[in-house]
Amino acid sequence: MSPSQQPNGERRDGDDSKSRVTIVGSGNWGSVAAKLIASNAIKLPSFHDEVRMWVFEEVLPNGEKLTDVINKTNENVKYLPGIKLGRNVVADPDLENAVKEANMLVFVTPHQFMDGICKKLDGKIRGEVEAISLVKGMEVKKEGPRMISSLISKQLGINCCVLMGANIANEIALEKFSEATVGYRESKEIADTWVQLFSTPYFMVTPAHDVEGVELCGTLKNVVAIAAGFVDGLEMGNNTKAAIMRIGLREMKALSKLLFPSVNDCTFFESCGVADLITTCLGGRNRRVAEAYAQNGGKRSFDELEAEMLQGQKLQGVSTAKEVYEVLKHNGWLEMFPLFATVHQICIGRLKPEAIVHYREYKA
Amino acid sequence: MSPSQQPNGERRDGDDSKSRVTIVGSGNWGSVAAKLIASNAIKLPSFHDEVRMWVFEEVLPNGEKLTDVINKTNENVKYLPGIKLGRNVVADPDLENAVKEANMLVFVTPHQFMDGICKKLDGKIRGEVEAISLVKGMEVKKEGPRMISSLISKQLGINCCVLMGANIANEIALEKFSEATVGYRESKEIADTWVQLFSTPYFMVTPAHDVEGVELCGTLKNVVAIAAGFVDGLEMGNNTKAAIMRIGLREMKALSKLLFPSVNDCTFFESCGVADLITTCLGGRNRRVAEAYAQNGGKRSFDELEAEMLQGQKLQGVSTAKEVYEVLKHNGWLEMFPLFATVHQICIGRLKPEAIVHYREYKA
């Protein structure tokens, strides 16, 4: 490859000065992330054109391997059919091979796989690597939330940003206008590189100096979505729904600040905060199943409705509500978070769905 | 009347120590305000039971006067049919008579009537009077917004709070859970009195030390609702809608702070901010007509759609967008408020509805 001109006028000679990006994950959101990144990597002189995507190999009903089909058709026919990822996306079924040359790693898998992936990657990545997590839905343990960004940082000894926002993958795949927030810990410069790598005219990305606040938004919003679903199921109207969403946003902010005093109020005005909350409370499976739960007067369990409505997918909000409840109880904070506490009590059948608007009367 | 026990244990002798409330206005929201206040006045020992409501007299189709029917049936049959206001609500067609004994005035009329009402009340009210405005949709002039609270304060020489929030009158009338914000300038004690007078188990009211911020929310949100309507009309999905609502909230906050440096970020997390914005962007006539405008590709004017869809009611958002545009242009702020600026440009046909998500390319 010939030397290329940098935007700042410097010349870089050879490949080694260019960043190589690998995406760890290839589901619905991972595939959209690949499309976004690939469209930028090919244009930006500071990046290698090729974007590698680690794919958990599957054999398709016609006997072909998923990676072969992706590399042949340039489409993830299983998780994002009908969308071209970009010719510079290379699917790779071998995790170690996929990451070995990368200096920028994008993590986008279901959160329960992250532990295992980090263990596999330990000692297998390059020396100077930057990471970003698009993984939503951490576990919230009594001793504190298990931030995915911290897991990656600690296990692999690298810096890790997060990207969260109102990001329904299929809508972004169709290039409908959307936004996201990159949360970073220290280096604004690194955050700006991620912003540059993800931004397109239809996908506006903003940096926020608050990695914990941004990441917590992506998890706690699911509890509020359950509350919003109850309101919908009980047909309480837009007024009540708006009130519940607002109270939910306030509790997200308050709990994040209690857990991490560095969390910034402004974060909740970003896409990861209010916008993701709105999207999640308007559509989304948490809202939908909670709506059905309330319509049935709490007589059919979440497990039952989940099995019937979600074809094997699991609801994040119900388990997060349980975990948050335990954190609140453990710390003596239940009365400060009546909405979060009430959502869990309704989910386990201890309160009726109607209690979602009577939580002031709630006693721990 | 016998002396009554105060909550703080003091005795008050006679009527004069008790507050008398008059509601100036009796439309849909005014009638609901009367119901809320009447339910509290009758319970709180520091208030006279009677709540007076000034009603612009009308003769009903059956020949009866509206005030007579309200006083006979305890319902505002024209503007809030089917809802009992409380037996202690007295409708009064005479504005001067309605206010003469009151020391607490609640203003809740369309904003264009407020000038005339204040002129009529000048010199006709008691010495020590507190006011609150529920009037949304001030005019935003080049020299600054014409705050209704300031108009009342200046014309009548009295302190004036505001109450704003996600308040669809008919839903509150049905006692569905909702919230509101009381914005106050100085005295927290007065704000608390208003909070006490409006709060019910289904209507949660919170004070905010930011009268301008609270009042501006009630006006600027209508511009964002127009933008949200365009997104709906173009079927851009929940992601895009959430993004546009978020950007709108950010511009509401930024413009309010430019106009009044005392405006507080926290105000936008209150019911008057994010919650009212959500309600207005989910339902509401501004959103609805803007949706129709976009569906017609901007080929039918707002005036035409308004006439067809709103039976004589006028759209606040379109005129506010125009006024805001003039303020932005006058101050050289257009580039800082791409969403507000674009909404106006679309409303007057200078840009297509699709421009709502391309406003970064907008040039003043």
Side-chain angles (χ1 to χ4, degrees):
Chain A
M1 209 178 251
S2 64
S4 63
Q5 195 73 26
Q6 293 290 300
N8 58 11
E10 284 172 26
R11 272 172 185 278
R12 291 202 170 175
D13 298 306
D15 279 354
D16 286 351
S17 63
K18 293 190 175 201
S19 290
R20 286 184 183 270
V21 187
T22 288
I23 295 158
V24 178
S26 57
N28 189 227
W29 185 209
S31 302
V32 176
K35 172 176 146 76
L36 290 167
I37 291 170
S39 74
N40 285 316
I42 209 162
K43 279 186 289 195
L44 295 167
S46 51
F47 290 90
H48 269 281
D49 288 356
E50 185 188 290
V51 173
R52 207 154 268 266
M53 178 168 78
W54 171 63
V55 176
F56 183 85
E57 189 68 286
E58 300 182 46
V59 178
L60 299 174
N62 66 2
E64 285 189 285
K65 287 180 180 168
L66 180 56
T67 50
D68 290 340
V69 178
I70 293 174
N71 288 330
K72 201 168 62 188
T73 64
N74 206 231
E75 275 182 43
N76 187 336
V77 291
K78 179 142 185 193
Y79 296 105
L80 192 66
I83 302 290
K84 294 288 176 196
L85 300 180
R87 291 180 166 278
N88 48 330
V89 174
V90 175
D92 187 337
D94 181 337
L95 180 59
E96 268 186 49
N97 189 60
V99 301
K100 72 178 181 200
E101 290 186 41
N103 65 327
M104 298 186 79
L105 295 178
V106 178
F107 290 94
V108 51
T109 72
H111 72 98
Q112 58 271 29
F113 300 156
M114 281 304 301
D115 243 335
I117 287 171
C118 283
K119 277 185 190 130
K120 274 190 199 148
L121 291 182
D122 193 9
K124 304 289 162 53
I125 59 173
R126 277 173 56 173
E128 300 253 306
V129 172
E130 286 291 334
I132 195 165
S133 165
L134 278 56
V135 180
K136 288 182 178 179
M138 71 189 82
E139 287 173 74
V140 185
K141 298 284 182 193
K142 270 184 207 163
E143 57 278 14
R146 299 193 63 216
M147 315 292 282
I148 305 291
S149 58
S150 303
L151 174 74
I152 293 167
S153 279
K154 280 180 199 157
Q155 291 246 15
L156 304 177
I158 57 180
N159 181 47
C160 188
C161 294
V162 297
L163 182 142
M164 304 276 147
N167 300 147
I168 299 171
N170 288 327
E171 295 186 6
I172 301 167
L174 295 171
E175 306 195 356
K176 292 186 174 181
F177 178 75
S178 186
E179 295 185 303
T181 313
V182 165
Y184 66 98
R185 192 176 304 279
E186 276 156 24
S187 167
K188 172 76 158 52
E189 200 185 339
I190 298 296
D192 286 338
T193 305
W194 288 117
V195 166
Q196 191 186 30
L197 194 61
F198 278 95
S199 294
T200 71
Y202 58 88
F203 193 67
M204 274 170 56
V205 186
T206 312
H209 187 188
D210 180 6
V211 70
E212 286 92 359
V214 174
E215 191 170 348
L216 279 165
C217 281
T219 295
L220 296 177
K221 59 155 195 175
N222 289 325
V223 182
V224 187
I226 299 276
F230 294 150
V231 171
D232 285 344
L234 297 167
E235 296 181 18
M236 289 178 174
N238 287 339
N239 241 6
T240 304
K241 188 161 174 184
I244 289 299
M245 287 165 69
R246 186 198 82 81
I247 294 167
L249 185 64
R250 191 185 60 190
E251 294 196 6
M252 286 167 60
K253 179 158 71 80
L255 182 56
S256 300
K257 290 174 80 164
L258 275 177
L259 293 171
F260 297 93
S262 63
V263 165
N264 190 337
D265 278 359
C266 292
T267 300
F268 300 84
F269 286 124
E270 295 296 333
S271 177
C272 62
V274 64
D276 195 11
L277 182 72
I278 292 170
T279 302
T280 310
C281 290
L282 294 186
R285 55 177 185 252
N286 286 289
R287 191 211 60 81
R288 195 154 52 88
V289 179
E291 181 181 35
Y293 184 83
Q295 281 165 343
N296 286 286
K299 290 193 187 97
R300 299 184 62 197
S301 74
F302 267 101
D303 281 345
E304 191 183 338
L305 292 165
E306 229 176 309
E308 182 178 299
M309 296 172 73
L310 298 183
Q311 291 90 35
Q313 286 189 297
K314 294 298 273 181
L315 275 192
Q316 206 66 60
V318 174
S319 57
T320 304
K322 180 173 186 292
E323 292 167 8
V324 166
Y325 186 88
E326 280 160 13
V327 170
L328 298 178
K329 197 169 174 187
H330 179 74
N331 290 288
W333 296 339
L334 275 171
E335 298 206 351
M336 296 159 66
F337 296 91
L339 186 129
F340 283 168
T342 302
V343 167
H344 172 63
Q345 303 266 62
I346 296 172
C347 287
I348 60 169
R350 205 182 293 165
L351 291 174
K352 292 192 168 183
E354 287 78 3
I356 197 62
V357 295
H358 297 128
Y359 56 76
R360 278 217 156 173
E361 296 156 31
Y362 162 79
K363 291 282 168 285
Chain B
M1 210 180 249
S2 63
S4 63
Q5 195 73 26
Q6 293 291 299
N8 58 12
E10 286 172 24
R11 272 172 185 277
R12 291 203 169 175
D13 298 306
D15 279 354
D16 286 350
S17 64
K18 294 190 175 201
S19 289
R20 286 184 183 269
V21 187
T22 288
I23 295 158
V24 178
S26 57
N28 189 228
W29 185 209
S31 302
V32 176
K35 171 177 147 76
L36 290 166
I37 291 169
S39 74
N40 285 316
I42 209 163
K43 280 187 290 196
L44 295 167
S46 52
F47 290 90
H48 269 280
D49 287 356
E50 185 188 290
V51 173
R52 207 154 269 265
M53 177 168 77
W54 172 62
V55 176
F56 183 84
E57 190 68 286
E58 300 182 46
V59 177
L60 299 174
N62 66 2
E64 285 188 286
K65 287 181 179 168
L66 180 57
T67 49
D68 289 342
V69 178
I70 294 174
N71 288 330
K72 201 167 62 189
T73 65
N74 205 232
E75 275 184 43
N76 187 336
V77 290
K78 179 142 186 195
Y79 297 105
L80 192 65
I83 303 290
K84 294 288 176 196
L85 299 181
R87 291 182 166 279
N88 49 330
V89 174
V90 176
D92 187 337
D94 180 337
L95 180 60
E96 268 187 49
N97 189 60
V99 302
K100 73 178 181 200
E101 291 186 42
N103 65 327
M104 297 186 79
L105 295 177
V106 178
F107 290 94
V108 50
T109 72
H111 72 98
Q112 59 271 28
F113 299 156
M114 281 305 301
D115 243 336
I117 287 171
C118 283
K119 277 186 189 127
K120 273 190 200 150
L121 291 183
D122 193 9
K124 304 289 162 52
I125 59 174
R126 277 174 56 173
E128 299 253 306
V129 172
E130 286 290 335
I132 195 165
S133 165
L134 278 56
V135 179
K136 287 182 179 179
M138 71 189 82
E139 286 174 74
V140 184
K141 297 285 183 193
K142 270 184 208 166
E143 56 278 14
R146 300 194 62 216
M147 316 292 282
I148 305 292
S149 58
S150 304
L151 174 74
I152 294 167
S153 280
K154 279 180 200 157
Q155 291 245 13
L156 304 178
I158 57 179
N159 180 48
C160 187
C161 293
V162 296
L163 182 143
M164 305 277 147
N167 301 147
I168 299 171
N170 287 326
E171 295 187 6
I172 302 167
L174 295 171
E175 306 194 357
K176 292 186 174 181
F177 177 74
S178 185
E179 294 186 302
T181 313
V182 164
Y184 67 98
R185 193 176 301 279
E186 276 155 25
S187 166
K188 171 76 159 52
E189 200 185 338
I190 297 297
D192 286 338
T193 306
W194 288 117
V195 166
Q196 190 185 30
L197 194 60
F198 277 95
S199 294
T200 70
Y202 59 88
F203 193 66
M204 273 171 57
V205 186
T206 312
H209 187 188
D210 179 6
V211 70
E212 286 92 359
V214 174
E215 191 169 347
L216 278 165
C217 281
T219 295
L220 297 177
K221 60 157 194 172
N222 289 324
V223 182
V224 188
I226 300 278
F230 294 150
V231 171
D232 285 345
L234 297 167
E235 296 180 17
M236 289 178 174
N238 287 339
N239 241 6
T240 304
K241 189 161 173 184
I244 290 298
M245 287 165 69
R246 187 198 81 80
I247 294 167
L249 184 64
R250 190 186 61 191
E251 294 196 6
M252 286 167 61
K253 178 157 72 79
L255 183 56
S256 300
K257 289 174 81 165
L258 275 176
L259 294 170
F260 297 94
S262 63
V263 165
N264 190 337
D265 278 359
C266 293
T267 300
F268 300 83
F269 285 123
E270 296 296 334
S271 178
C272 62
V274 64
D276 196 11
L277 182 73
I278 292 170
T279 303
T280 310
C281 290
L282 293 186
R285 55 177 185 252
N286 286 290
R287 191 211 60 81
R288 194 156 51 90
V289 179
E291 181 181 35
Y293 184 83
Q295 281 165 343
N296 286 286
K299 291 192 185 99
R300 298 184 63 197
S301 74
F302 268 100
D303 282 345
E304 191 183 337
L305 292 165
E306 229 177 311
E308 184 177 299
M309 298 172 72
L310 298 184
Q311 291 91 33
Q313 286 188 298
K314 295 298 273 182
L315 275 192
Q316 205 67 59
V318 174
S319 57
T320 305
K322 180 173 187 292
E323 292 167 7
V324 166
Y325 186 87
E326 281 159 14
V327 170
L328 299 178
K329 198 169 174 186
H330 179 73
N331 289 288
W333 295 340
L334 276 171
E335 298 206 353
M336 296 158 67
F337 295 91
L339 185 129
F340 283 168
T342 302
V343 167
H344 173 63
Q345 304 266 61
I346 296 172
C347 287
I348 60 169
R350 206 182 291 167
L351 291 175
K352 292 192 168 184
E354 287 78 3
I356 197 61
V357 295
H358 297 129
Y359 56 76
R360 276 215 158 174
E361 296 155 32
Y362 163 80
K363 291 283 167 283

